[in-house]
Amino acid sequence: MSDVQISEASSKNGRSEGSEQPKPESIESGEQHQLHAGVPSIELPGSKDNDSAQDEQPPPLPPRAPRRVSNVAPTAFPSTTASTRPRLQATATTAISRTDIHTQSFQDGTREASAASKPLSPPTKSWGWGSIRRLKIHDGDDSASVRSYAPTLGTGGDAESLLGDVLGPEHTSDWNILSGQLEETGLQRLDGPDDGEILHDFDREFDEVDPVDSSEGNEEELLNRWKAKRKHFLILSSAGKPIYNRHGDDNLISGYIGVVQTIISFYEGARDQLKGFTAGGARFVIMAQGPLYLVAISKLGESDSQLRVQLDALYMQILSTLTLPNLTHLFSNRPSTDLRRPLQGTEPLLSALADSFTRGSPPTLFSALECLKIRKSHREVINNTLLQKRCESLLYGLVVAGGRLVSVVRPRRHSLHPSDLQLIFNMLFEAEGVKAGGGENWIPLCLPSFNKNGYLYMYVSFIDPNEEEVSEDGSGASRHDQIAVLLISANKESFYDLRQMRDDVVEEMEKNGAMAVIKTAIRKGRYVTTDIVPGTVLHHFIYKSRANVQFSMPSYEPHYTTLLARRRLLSLYHSLHAIVHAKNAHLKVHHCISRDSVSLAWVTPLFELYCVAGANANRNALAQSASKVVQWARREEERIFIVGGAVF
């Protein structure tokens, strides 16, 4: 063989220091091996035709040139170019490589450490409270978290209804070890561009855009005002007929509705449903519900799942007026039906709901309800009064104060869903259409989460907590101070029975002092953070009980008194909620720092806590305050939440 012949030729010529010895080639691996000087002998590949070559001992290779001594360990394959990597330190050091270990804490309290192949960075890039630009994150919803409940997302959870007792006891101490968890969980710095341009002149966001007047030629000016809005909601039929739009009239935006309908139809023709896209610095999210297309256009940084929850609420508002069978029947007979005529008069309800999403709606974001904070014994007195005065046709009975639930009675096998109650509260306390009708109202409505195929009948009576301050026009206290008694029945002939029950309930509550307790709680308002943790660094927080599907939060004062400040706060809550509920997210505690705030999201199977402090707040102080808030909420649970409710 050729290798043997070369070795023999070298042997005949003698040893020469300047000669080069070819490297043998391994038959098994085919890889070249480097041979070092001083090797006495090597075994060359054999050949069946030349047995004598196996017995010969080839001469050793000549020595190599001496290498420069270096503290760096030699590599097997030295590079021909200078390395850009820093040399390893040979002495003890405190330097930490950010690419070595990534530790995560999981819902069950365990921790997992794994090597990272690239520098650790936040999984998402988001702008904090000081900036609310679009989040580049995966869409997620409450279904990604353990035992959460988001009825408007169409997912199951631990609580199928508002007050249904469907959860077993939890045995966990997660809420006692927050300080330890913070050492191993994600720390994210939210440094982004200023949001001054996005929220510039935010107070004018809700100003109406005037109709187009061809005689004045104001179309271009109105179009610019329409484009300046941070958020739009459009509802159109599958045939392209406009049904509802929050800003502008049909003459102004008909062209844009046609473009949206064309884009949706293009993807449907390709059998690829379009769910969303980004254009012009705004996020477009599209939801198809039967013959309707609902579109949200937002520049406020909400995630796709959050926008879909809002679109679903608008769809439920339409169903509460028409019911699903009526809606389906209208379009099955005539696909080009103009739905604006059947929905005539409901535009204020849709607009009030849309504006609450633009301002920021904690009940919609967390899919939960807020309750009025009163003593457990006082709430039991109200519950017993409703049960004692109940008429036979009653299905649900509620006492509501300023959009916060005080008491509820229900059948043992029926439960109220938060999405249905949010529709009712929007009708009573946001749109103000019912209040303008007088002291009592009889309203047929559909509660889609209860039964989307039929109507229920609701008797509503308002009680002014400051009757002595009622003005001449009868407006009285503001909508946030109103007390309402809601009695719901499936019998459309039960108006007089429910009105008599209302009179009996109010009279009894005046006698036993329950009405005075409610009025005092309303005048006192929400608690402040320093009432819970004296000297705390917290400016605001939201605590959600996942078992009760309810939340509690302190007053916005003194840090968030303006509309703009509250919008920034709710934008931060949107960001935290989207991060901890993103798909495949295993975060238990998420800590964020921005130029304007320090915030924390803490999620367990029992609760969710979102809290915000000032920009200079200490991280440990924030963790300690969060832990104290959780302890307070567990201790005051039956005051700040309705646990179980009254059933018959």
Side-chain angles (χ1 to χ4, degrees):
M1 293 181 60
S2 59
D3 291 338
V4 177
Q5 294 174 359
I6 293 173
S7 299
E8 291 176 351
S10 299
S11 177
K12 293 180 180 180
N13 294 334
R15 299 182 182 179
S16 174
E17 293 187 6
S19 63
E20 296 182 358
Q21 179 67 24
K23 301 179 181 67
E25 189 173 27
S26 173
I27 295 176
E28 296 180 359
S29 62
E31 297 179 353
Q32 293 183 348
H33 300 272
Q34 293 181 344
L35 303 178
H36 299 275
V39 178
S41 63
I42 60 174
E43 182 179 353
L44 296 176
S47 174
K48 293 182 180 181
D49 299 333
N50 192 358
D51 296 337
S52 62
Q54 299 180 1
D55 300 332
E56 295 183 3
Q57 298 295 333
L61 295 175
R64 293 188 176 184
R67 296 186 174 219
R68 180 178 299 177
V69 179
S70 174
N71 291 332
V72 182
T75 60
F77 301 96
S79 176
T80 57
T81 60
S83 175
T84 59
R85 295 180 58 187
R87 294 189 177 185
L88 299 178
Q89 300 179 1
T91 58
T93 177
T94 58
I96 299 176
S97 172
R98 298 182 64 225
T99 63
D100 291 338
I101 299 299
H102 184 195
T103 307
Q104 286 186 332
S105 296
F106 297 93
Q107 296 284 358
D108 58 359
T110 61
R111 297 169 184 168
E112 177 180 338
S114 59
S117 60
K118 58 182 179 179
L120 295 179
S121 60
T124 62
K125 183 178 181 181
S126 59
W127 311 124
W129 171 30
S131 178
I132 53 175
R133 293 189 182 274
R134 171 73 189 152
L135 285 170
K136 303 295 184 182
I137 61 177
H138 296 290
D139 299 327
D141 50 38
D142 280 347
S143 62
S145 299
V146 181
R147 311 197 83 183
S148 64
Y149 176 61
T152 53
L153 291 178
T155 60
D158 59 324
E160 63 182 12
S161 61
L162 173 64
L163 299 172
D165 187 13
V166 297
L167 280 182
E170 289 287 343
H171 303 284
T172 177
S173 60
D174 289 341
W175 61 279
N176 281 327
I177 57 174
L178 173 61
S179 298
Q181 292 173 347
L182 280 175
E183 299 300 327
E184 288 84 18
T185 50
L187 172 62
Q188 182 175 4
R189 179 171 293 276
L190 303 179
D191 290 328
D194 189 13
D195 61 0
E197 182 179 353
I198 297 178
L199 293 179
H200 173 68
D201 208 10
F202 186 73
D203 294 339
R204 301 184 60 183
E205 174 71 16
F206 308 100
D207 294 346
E208 297 294 336
V209 178
D210 298 331
V212 176
D213 190 347
S214 57
S215 61
E216 296 182 1
N218 60 348
E219 182 175 358
E220 183 176 356
E221 178 185 354
L222 295 177
L223 190 59
N224 291 332
R225 290 174 55 186
W226 182 81
K227 292 180 180 179
K229 301 297 183 182
R230 283 83 172 175
K231 200 164 187 178
H232 297 273
F233 290 98
L234 307 175
I235 303 177
L236 59 150
S237 67
S238 56
K241 289 277 189 180
I243 298 173
Y244 169 79
N245 53 276
R246 175 58 189 94
H247 301 289
D249 61 0
D250 294 342
N251 295 329
L252 182 65
I253 64 172
S254 58
Y256 292 95
I257 292 181
V259 171
V260 171
Q261 199 272 340
T262 302
I263 295 175
I264 296 174
S265 300
F266 173 80
Y267 278 88
E268 283 193 345
R271 297 183 180 180
D272 184 12
Q273 184 179 2
L274 179 62
K275 295 183 177 180
F277 60 91
T278 302
R283 183 63 182 172
F284 292 70
V285 173
I286 301 166
M287 185 177 70
Q289 289 285 3
L292 303 183
Y293 293 135
L294 298 96
V295 183
I297 307 172
S298 176
K299 299 179 182 178
L300 298 179
E302 295 124 316
S303 67
D304 285 11
S305 62
Q306 292 167 355
L307 291 175
R308 288 193 184 97
V309 169
Q310 299 171 16
L311 292 176
D312 190 75
L314 293 174
Y315 176 67
M316 293 296 180
Q317 184 67 65
I318 294 176
L319 289 185
S320 70
T321 304
L322 298 178
T323 73
L324 182 60
N326 289 339
L327 179 64
T328 304
H329 177 73
L330 287 172
F331 284 95
S332 62
N333 293 335
R334 187 179 177 186
S336 60
T337 297
D338 187 356
L339 200 61
R340 288 175 297 183
R341 302 184 70 179
L343 291 176
Q344 188 175 6
T346 63
E347 292 86 354
L349 298 178
L350 293 170
S351 296
L353 199 59
D355 289 347
S356 69
F357 300 153
T358 304
R359 286 191 299 268
S361 173
T364 304
L365 174 61
F366 298 107
S367 298
L369 292 173
E370 184 181 12
C371 298
L372 186 69
K373 182 178 180 292
I374 58 175
R375 291 180 178 272
K376 175 185 176 182
S377 58
H378 294 159
R379 204 182 305 274
E380 289 178 347
V381 170
I382 301 173
N383 292 341
N384 293 333
T385 301
L386 290 172
L387 290 174
Q388 292 172 5
K389 304 300 181 181
R390 177 180 65 89
C391 64
E392 292 297 329
S393 59
L394 180 71
L395 181 61
Y396 294 115
L398 301 93
V399 178
V400 185
R404 287 174 286 174
L405 194 60
V406 179
S407 176
V408 58
V409 294
R410 61 180 177 86
R412 187 172 302 275
R413 295 185 180 182
H414 295 280
S415 299
L416 279 171
H417 291 252
S419 59
D420 289 338
L421 288 178
Q422 288 172 18
L423 294 178
I424 295 176
F425 293 171
N426 174 70
M427 179 188 302
L428 301 181
F429 300 102
E430 297 295 337
E432 297 185 334
V434 176
K435 179 64 172 63
E440 60 182 10
N441 297 268
W442 182 248
I443 306 171
L445 81 162
C446 171
L447 298 180
S449 297
F450 174 76
N451 180 15
K452 63 181 65 175
N453 297 320
Y455 287 102
L456 297 176
Y457 301 89
M458 180 173 65
Y459 174 86
V460 181
S461 175
F462 286 94
I463 303 172
D464 198 328
N466 303 311
E467 294 180 356
E468 67 277 3
E469 300 178 4
V470 176
S471 59
E472 295 181 358
D473 59 0
S475 59
S478 67
R479 63 186 180 187
H480 300 292
D481 297 332
Q482 295 293 324
I483 301 173
V485 178
L486 284 69
L487 305 176
I488 302 175
S489 173
N491 183 6
K492 63 180 179 180
E493 304 295 338
S494 59
F495 171 80
Y496 293 103
D497 293 339
L498 296 180
R499 185 168 68 173
Q500 183 61 45
M501 175 183 171
R502 178 265 180 197
D503 294 339
D504 295 341
V505 167
V506 173
E507 182 181 0
E508 183 65 23
M509 290 175 63
E510 293 285 358
K511 291 181 180 180
N512 58 32
M515 189 64 69
V517 170
I518 297 175
K519 293 179 180 180
T520 302
I522 293 176
R523 286 193 293 267
K524 186 177 180 180
R526 293 186 177 95
Y527 53 87
V528 295
T529 56
T530 52
D531 293 340
I532 302 172
V533 185
T536 180
V537 298
L538 291 180
H539 288 176
H540 198 268
F541 70 84
I542 292 181
Y543 178 93
K544 175 185 175 181
S545 172
R546 305 179 80 165
N548 298 302
V549 202
Q550 301 166 42
F551 74 93
S552 179
M553 69 178 184
S555 173
Y556 287 112
E557 297 178 354
H559 301 286
Y560 309 102
T561 56
T562 65
L563 178 63
L564 177 60
R566 294 183 184 182
R567 176 63 251 188
R568 285 177 169 168
L569 175 65
L570 267 297
S571 295
L572 179 55
Y573 284 145
H574 276 81
S575 300
L576 294 173
H577 185 273
I579 291 172
V580 297
H581 289 285
K583 290 182 179 178
N584 303 322
H586 301 288
L587 288 175
K588 196 173 186 179
V589 179
H590 188 77
H591 187 265
C592 295
I593 300 175
S594 71
R595 67 168 68 92
D596 297 316
S597 66
V598 178
S599 56
L600 177 72
W602 185 9
V603 178
T604 74
L606 288 178
F607 65 85
E608 298 178 15
L609 176 64
Y610 306 85
C611 48
V612 180
N616 299 322
N618 181 271
R619 187 182 179 188
N620 292 331
L622 177 62
Q624 293 175 3
S625 297
S627 181
K628 291 180 180 179
V629 167
V630 172
Q631 296 176 22
W632 168 84
R634 305 275 292 198
R635 186 172 59 252
E636 302 287 329
E637 183 176 21
E638 293 186 335
R639 291 190 177 189
I640 60 179
F641 301 132
I642 297 178
V643 181
V647 297
F648 57 87

